[in-house]
Amino acid sequence: MFNLLLALTAGILIGWNFHSFFKALTPPKILRDDFNLSQKTALSKVESNTTIETKELNTTIKKPLSLPISFEMQLKKNLFSDAMRVYQESEEERKVVYREELERFFHDKIMLHPKEATVQLKEYIDIEPNNQKSQQQLVELYQQEKAYDKAIAIVMELLNHSNSAVEQEQYHKEIIRISQIYIDTLIKEEKFQQLIAFLEKQMEYEFGTTFYTFTLAKHYSDTKEYPLAKKLLKEIEFDEEYGERAKALLKKIENQESVKEEYNYQFPLIKEGEQFLLEVTIDDTPLKLLLDTGSSYTLIDETKLPSLTIIDDEVTLQTPAGAITSKLQETQIFKIKDLELKSFKVVTTPFKQQGADGLLGMNFFKQFKFKIDQEKGVLYLHNKN
């Protein structure tokens, strides 16, 4: 019995020890849950950080950082206003480099796109009003565009702000040079009112007054407005540079006035080799007649005026080439500009000479006191009556 109890006690002790050992090996459930929770949280943080980094990486890929466009590239792409903003925000050392690039840019732009270059040059000059190089480029551009008055205005502005005697002399010569081109252009295009307005405006300035005064006087002389020309020439006849020319033109005007008093008609002649032609109108038919004081009658090619009134079928006409037989006929109106002759007699016969329709003979000239100025190509007439 005692041995049975001893064996039972030993079995209980051995069983309890096994229980304690396995319990120690297996942690409580709550501890496992805590461990799992911490693990999930840590994993969550890792996943979260990974997601953020991935998003940032994606953002970087979608929107890469753009590099700034250089000043030179902005000019090449014609982003001129952008380039000017960069220019204004730059340090002076950098502006020196930019000015060189701008000079090259405008040099090419003026040749290729002058109108756009005008706008951009003005924009730059507003920023750098004292940049003489850019203003000279604008002067060059205006001359290319034949806007000579604008070019002259810029050079005059440079002249007024210059303190250098050498520069002033250069600007003065440049103004006169451009003015002469402008004056010649206006005369060629017969824009006389514009010419007079320009010359009168330039005469108000200190520089080049005598040049503009003499030029305007010469214009008035050429257009036979002699009183206006003489008034201007009297103002400069003792000028050191233009005095002698003024006196010579005054003398020429006096001679013209004396001729004008002596002859009340002046007609321009057309020179053909050594001969002169005069444009006339006979019964509304325009003709060109050679001046021939050796011919007793005015002769017309019979094909030019087929419907004239015949006075005599056979008339002997003396010409430098000899006697010829022709028809004496009568015109209704023989006209040279504002000079009209009615019932003027002409002879008609075959006449073949290139550029001429006949001869203006002595039956015309004997009605006038006349003078042929071969040097000037002018026929002067004065009615004998």
Side-chain angles (χ1 to χ4, degrees):
M1 184 67 176
F2 175 78
N3 291 331
L4 182 61
L5 289 173
L6 184 59
L8 181 62
T9 302
I12 292 171
L13 290 172
I14 292 169
W16 178 257
N17 286 332
F18 274 104
H19 171 72
S20 300
F21 173 76
F22 283 108
K23 190 174 181 181
L25 288 177
T26 305
K29 191 174 187 327
I30 186 169
L31 291 176
R32 290 198 303 270
D33 291 342
D34 289 343
F35 174 78
N36 293 337
L37 181 60
S38 299
Q39 188 178 31
K40 289 179 179 179
T41 303
L43 288 172
S44 176
K45 289 181 179 179
V46 172
E47 290 176 359
S48 176
N49 290 337
T50 304
T51 304
I52 292 171
E53 290 176 1
T54 303
K55 287 182 179 179
E56 291 177 352
L57 182 61
N58 291 338
T59 303
T60 304
I61 293 173
K62 290 180 180 179
K63 296 182 179 179
L65 294 174
S66 57
L67 295 174
I69 303 176
S70 67
F71 182 80
E72 184 179 4
M73 187 57 66
Q74 286 177 325
L75 292 179
K76 285 183 178 179
K77 292 186 175 183
N78 207 29
L79 302 173
F80 189 78
S81 296
D82 294 340
M84 287 298 95
R85 281 193 291 271
V86 172
Y87 179 86
Q88 289 178 286
E89 294 170 0
S90 300
E91 299 294 333
E92 183 58 32
E93 292 182 0
R94 177 56 58 182
K95 285 184 177 179
V96 173
V97 178
Y98 289 165
R99 287 188 195 110
E100 293 178 357
E101 293 182 10
L102 281 165
E103 183 178 332
R104 291 191 293 270
F105 169 77
F106 285 127
H107 177 270
D108 297 337
K109 197 64 173 288
I110 287 171
M111 301 301 295
L112 298 175
H113 305 288
K115 290 184 179 179
E116 189 175 17
T118 304
V119 176
Q120 292 173 343
L121 263 171
K122 287 180 178 180
E123 183 178 344
Y124 176 55
I125 290 173
D126 286 341
I127 298 171
E128 292 284 3
N130 296 323
N131 191 312
Q132 294 186 11
K133 183 60 181 179
S134 60
Q135 290 179 328
Q136 287 286 2
Q137 286 182 311
L138 188 56
V139 169
E140 177 188 341
L141 178 56
Y142 279 142
Q143 290 183 80
Q144 183 177 316
E145 294 293 291
K146 296 185 178 181
Y148 300 111
D149 52 339
K150 294 181 180 179
I152 292 167
I154 293 176
V155 182
M156 290 191 69
E157 193 68 21
L158 291 170
L159 173 64
N160 292 332
H161 288 85
S162 175
N163 296 320
S164 167
V166 175
E167 276 189 354
Q168 289 177 357
E169 182 65 21
Q170 291 175 343
Y171 289 142
H172 178 239
K173 290 180 180 179
E174 182 74 357
I175 290 169
I176 297 300
R177 184 189 67 80
I178 300 173
S179 294
Q180 189 63 67
I181 297 172
Y182 187 36
I183 290 165
D184 293 343
T185 301
L186 292 175
I187 292 174
K188 184 178 180 181
E189 296 175 354
E190 298 185 353
K191 296 180 179 179
F192 299 124
Q193 290 301 317
Q194 192 173 338
L195 171 67
I196 293 170
F198 169 72
L199 292 173
E200 289 179 341
K201 179 182 177 182
Q202 294 300 115
M203 286 165 56
E204 298 174 1
Y205 297 106
E206 179 181 354
F207 296 96
T209 302
T210 51
F211 165 76
Y212 297 109
T213 301
F214 179 80
T215 303
L216 182 57
K218 188 174 184 305
H219 167 69
Y220 283 141
S221 174
D222 292 341
T223 55
K224 297 180 174 54
E225 298 183 64
Y226 298 130
L228 293 174
K230 289 167 67 175
K231 180 177 181 297
L232 292 171
L233 292 170
K234 290 289 184 182
E235 296 176 4
I236 60 171
E237 65 177 327
F238 300 108
D239 180 75
E240 183 178 350
E241 184 177 0
Y242 284 90
E244 292 303 316
R245 279 183 274 186
K247 290 175 183 176
L249 187 54
L250 277 168
K251 185 176 181 180
K252 181 179 178 181
I253 290 172
E254 289 171 359
N255 292 336
Q256 291 287 349
E257 286 180 324
S258 64
V259 169
K260 187 175 180 181
E261 291 174 0
E262 188 176 356
Y263 299 97
N264 52 0
Y265 294 105
Q266 299 179 36
F267 301 120
L269 299 173
I270 303 169
K271 189 171 184 180
E272 291 286 346
E274 297 299 321
Q275 298 177 303
F276 290 94
L277 294 91
L278 182 64
E279 292 181 339
V280 306
T281 302
I282 298 178
D283 295 349
D284 297 326
T285 300
L287 302 169
K288 290 181 181 179
L289 304 181
L290 286 168
L291 273 59
D292 189 352
T293 55
S295 176
S296 55
Y297 266 95
T298 295
L299 182 150
I300 307 295
D301 181 9
E302 63 183 8
T303 63
K304 301 294 181 179
L305 299 170
S307 59
L308 294 179
T309 301
I310 298 175
I311 298 175
D312 193 338
D313 283 340
E314 292 188 7
V315 175
T316 301
L317 178 66
Q318 297 296 328
T319 72
I324 59 173
T325 301
S326 58
K327 298 177 182 178
L328 180 63
Q329 297 180 273
E330 187 176 75
T331 68
Q332 295 182 19
I333 298 178
F334 181 95
K335 185 176 180 181
I336 309 173
K337 292 191 176 180
D338 55 344
L339 170 63
E340 289 188 6
L341 299 177
K342 294 182 178 180
S343 301
F344 181 71
K345 293 179 176 59
V346 299
V347 294
T348 59
T349 191
F351 181 86
K352 303 297 179 184
Q353 183 167 332
Q354 187 175 1
D357 302 307
L359 306 173
L360 185 62
M362 279 306 297
N363 70 318
F364 171 81
F365 286 110
K366 70 181 181 180
Q367 301 183 53
F368 303 94
K369 176 184 177 181
F370 68 92
K371 173 185 174 182
I372 301 172
D373 190 329
Q374 297 188 27
E375 182 180 345
K376 295 180 181 178
V378 178
L379 172 65
Y380 296 97
L381 299 174
H382 188 83
N383 288 320
K384 287 185 176 181
N385 298 329

